[in-house]
């Protein structure tokens, strides 16, 4: 053994690991499995106007009522504090009343929801004169108040309005996010923050779609992206423009402590009319998000899964060169067989998907020169310009 340097106390100690009885290991302290956990930060990432603010309020109210919502289960009735900078108190009243009205939440449920109000500038972290990121007085006061009311989670909407640091500076954003994580740990509460996507095209489930420096993505433990149904997506689902309006998808973008789902979960807005009509007009109409399950077998498929099937279709059948739309007997040319094999569905379901894609123009029939037979034949092709994935093959 090597000679050890003389010192009074070791600077680092190595502890030999011993497997313990598993029953003694505390379970992870999920509030809403897959979405929100105590002492950790979660994020909803979306472009402006998609619905991240109203969705975060809807999630908060379901937490308070102890109800499941969308793909997430709520394990208990929780106390939730909300800090919103984009809407004033009256607008929050409209939205929360609409949510309560649609879902049937009671005043007892609402008693567990707290709105954070302050006469100070709503900034939780800023750079000091030396460029170091530090918590503001508001952050300390908010943490103290949240302690007094024993909140289980805090919603911060939106992040960029609550921190005064250069958003493209990795070090500054990391410092600000670390202070928010410190707040979560201090409160033994989960923190759900909303954040904007960067400019340009983005892909569902892409954590790097978030605006600004990439260090934020490294500090959140769970993240979901929200994106409206695009035109090609609507076609591939067999929906027209009117039917697709107000429908958006939620995709897991990061899941450190659970299996990341490859499936999209869909929401749509329903209109709730408040009972506040006056001599100037009818009651205010508020869009409230609800889970949506399309009739198409495609509605839960990820972009990656759809693109993979389309590539296989476009590659063709080795024996017959190109797949075809005609289904007859034991023919190996029918394009639906690719869908059956890849997605473990039956002929009827595959046929529905083929019909939708054919009607939308995503799949079309044209002549091709067969390699094992004379003359031209008719086969199935993919129009990649209609691919639902905005960042997929074109």
């Amino acid at each position: 053994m090597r000679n050890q340097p003389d010192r009074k106390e070791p600077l680092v100690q190595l502890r030999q690991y011993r497997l313990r009885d598993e029953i003694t290991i505390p379970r992870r302290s999920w509030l809403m499995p897959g979405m929100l956990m105590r002492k950790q930060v979660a994020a909803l990432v979306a472009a402006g106007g998609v619905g991240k603010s109203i969705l975060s309020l809807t999630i908060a109210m379901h937490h308070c009522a102890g109800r499941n919502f969308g793909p997430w289960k709520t394990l208990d009735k929780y106390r939730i504090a909300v800090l919103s900078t984009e809407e004033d108190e009256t607008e929050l009243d409209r939205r929360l009343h609409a949510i309560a009205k649609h879902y049937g939440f009671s005043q007892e449920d609402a008693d567990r929801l707290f709105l954070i109000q302050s006469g100070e500038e709503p900034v939780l972290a800023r750079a000091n004169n030396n460029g170091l990121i530090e918590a503001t007085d508001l952050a300390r006061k908010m943490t103290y108040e949240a302690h007094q009311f024993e909140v289980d989670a805090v919603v911060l909407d939106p992040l960029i309005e609550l921190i005064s640091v250069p958003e493209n500076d990795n070090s500054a954003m990391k410092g600000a996010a670390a202070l928010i994580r410190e707040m979560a740990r201090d409160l033994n509460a989960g923190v759900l923050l909303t954040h904007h996507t960067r400019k340009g095209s983005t892909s569902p489930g892409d954590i790097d779609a978030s605006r600004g420096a990439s260090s934020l993505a490294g500090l959140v433990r769970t993240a979901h992206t929200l994106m409206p149904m695009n035109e090609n997506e609507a076609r591939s689902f067999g929906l027209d423009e009117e039917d697709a309006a107000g429908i958006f998808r939620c995709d897991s973008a990061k899941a450190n402590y659970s299996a990341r789902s490859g499936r999209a979960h869909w929401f749509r807005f329903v209109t709730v009319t408040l009972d506040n009509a006056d001599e100037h007009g009818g009651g205010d109409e508020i869009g409230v998000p609800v889970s949506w399950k399309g009739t198409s077998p495609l509605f839960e498929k990820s972009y990656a899964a759809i693109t993979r099937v389309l590539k296989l279709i476009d590659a063709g059948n080795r024996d017959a060169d190109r797949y075809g739309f005609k289904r007859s007997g034991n023919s190996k040319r029918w394009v639906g067989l690719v869908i059956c094999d890849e997605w473990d569905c039956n002929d009827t379901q595959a046929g529905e998907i083929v019909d939708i894609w054919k009607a939308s123009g995503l799949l079309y029939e044209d002549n091709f020169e067969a390699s094992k037979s004379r003359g031209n034949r008719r086969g199935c092709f993919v129009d990649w310009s209609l691919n639902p994935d905005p960042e997929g093959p074109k």
Side-chain angles (χ1 to χ4, degrees), residues 159 163 165-178 181 195 207-208 210-221 254:
L159 173 67
I163 56 176
V165 303
E167 64 174 318
N168 290 312
D169 185 325
N170 258 309
S171 179
M173 286 295 287
K174 183 176 180 179
R181 183 176 61 186
H195 192 42
I207 186 62
D208 293 324
S210 58
R211 191 169 112 179
S214 61
S215 56
L216 175 67
L219 284 169
V220 300
R221 298 297 89 186
K254 187 174 183 180

Side-chain angles (χ1 to χ4, degrees), residues 243-258:
D243 290 335
I247 299 176
F248 65 95
R249 61 185 294 152
C250 176
D251 292 80
S252 175
K254 187 174 183 180
N256 283 58
Y257 299 128
S258 61

Side-chain angles (χ1 to χ4, degrees), residues 109-371:
D109 300 323
D111 284 343
R112 286 181 283 273
L113 185 72
F114 302 88
L115 301 183
I116 300 170
Q117 300 172 319
S118 172
E120 302 177 36
E121 182 185 10
V123 173
L124 302 177
R126 60 162 41 98
N128 64 19
N129 293 333
N130 297 319
L132 298 176
I133 310 303
E134 59 185 14
T136 62
D137 287 339
L138 174 62
R140 287 185 283 272
K141 291 174 183 176
M142 190 181 83
T143 302
Y144 174 81
E145 286 293 310
H147 263 304
Q148 305 312 301
F149 286 91
E150 299 180 326
V151 301
D152 300 288
V154 179
V155 176
L156 303 177
D157 176 42
L159 173 67
I160 201 61
E161 298 290 335
L162 295 168
I163 56 176
S164 182
V165 303
E167 64 174 318
N168 290 312
D169 185 325
N170 258 309
S171 179
M173 286 295 287
K174 183 176 180 179
L179 289 173
I180 293 173
R181 183 176 61 186
E182 184 179 329
M183 176 193 300
R185 292 174 177 177
D186 187 22
L187 291 172
N188 189 33
V191 171
L192 174 62
L193 55 86
T194 68
H195 192 42
H196 294 283
T197 54
R198 55 177 162 78
K199 293 180 180 179
S201 70
T202 54
S203 220
D206 179 10
I207 186 62
D208 293 324
S210 58
R211 191 169 112 179
S214 61
S215 56
L216 175 67
L219 284 169
V220 300
R221 298 297 89 186
T222 63
H224 291 79
T225 60
L226 311 178
M227 294 189 180
M229 179 179 286
N230 64 47
E231 187 177 352
N232 286 345
E233 223 164 22
R235 286 198 190 101
S236 73
F237 283 4
L239 300 176
D240 59 28
E241 186 177 350
E242 184 177 348
D243 290 335
I247 299 176
F248 65 95
R249 61 185 294 152
C250 176
D251 292 80
S252 175
K254 187 174 183 180
N256 283 58
Y257 299 128
S258 61
R260 181 179 164 188
S261 172
R263 293 183 174 182
H265 190 88
W266 293 89
F267 294 91
R268 68 181 176 90
F269 284 104
V270 297
T271 300
V272 176
T273 303
L274 299 182
D275 188 19
N276 63 346
D278 58 21
E279 66 275 14
H280 300 294
D284 286 318
E285 294 184 342
I286 311 295
V288 174
V290 300
S291 281
W292 177 78
K293 290 188 176 182
T295 56
S296 166
L298 287 165
F299 86 97
E300 280 190 330
K301 300 301 181 185
S302 68
Y303 280 157
I306 291 174
T307 295
R308 174 174 168 76
V309 166
L310 292 175
K311 284 182 175 180
L312 290 171
I313 290 172
D314 213 28
N317 181 306
R318 289 183 179 179
D319 296 328
D321 291 305
R322 283 274 172 186
Y323 291 103
F325 286 125
K326 189 174 181 180
R327 184 177 5 176
S328 58
N330 296 322
S331 173
K332 295 181 179 180
R333 286 197 66 219
W334 181 50
V335 67
L337 295 176
V338 179
I339 299 170
C340 290
D341 291 344
E342 284 298 306
W343 290 343
D344 193 26
C345 58
N346 58 40
D347 286 3
T348 301
Q349 293 168 321
E352 290 178 18
I353 294 171
V354 171
D355 289 343
I356 291 171
W357 284 352
K358 186 177 179 181
S360 72
L362 180 59
L363 297 183
Y364 66 96
E365 195 172 41
D366 203 351
N367 293 329
F368 74 96
E369 188 175 345
S371 61

Side-chain angles (χ1 to χ4, degrees), residues 27-42 63 75 78 152-154 184-185 188-192 221-222 255-258:
R27 283 176 54 84
R28 287 180 176 140
S29 51
W30 287 106
L31 303 170
M32 188 175 262
M35 164 60 78
L36 197 57
M37 182 189 293
R38 291 188 189 276
K39 298 185 177 182
Q40 302 297 342
V41 181
H63 268 76
L75 301 183
Y78 298 113
D152 300 288
V154 179
R185 292 174 177 177
N188 189 33
V191 171
L192 174 62
R221 298 297 89 186
T222 63
N256 283 58
Y257 299 128
S258 61

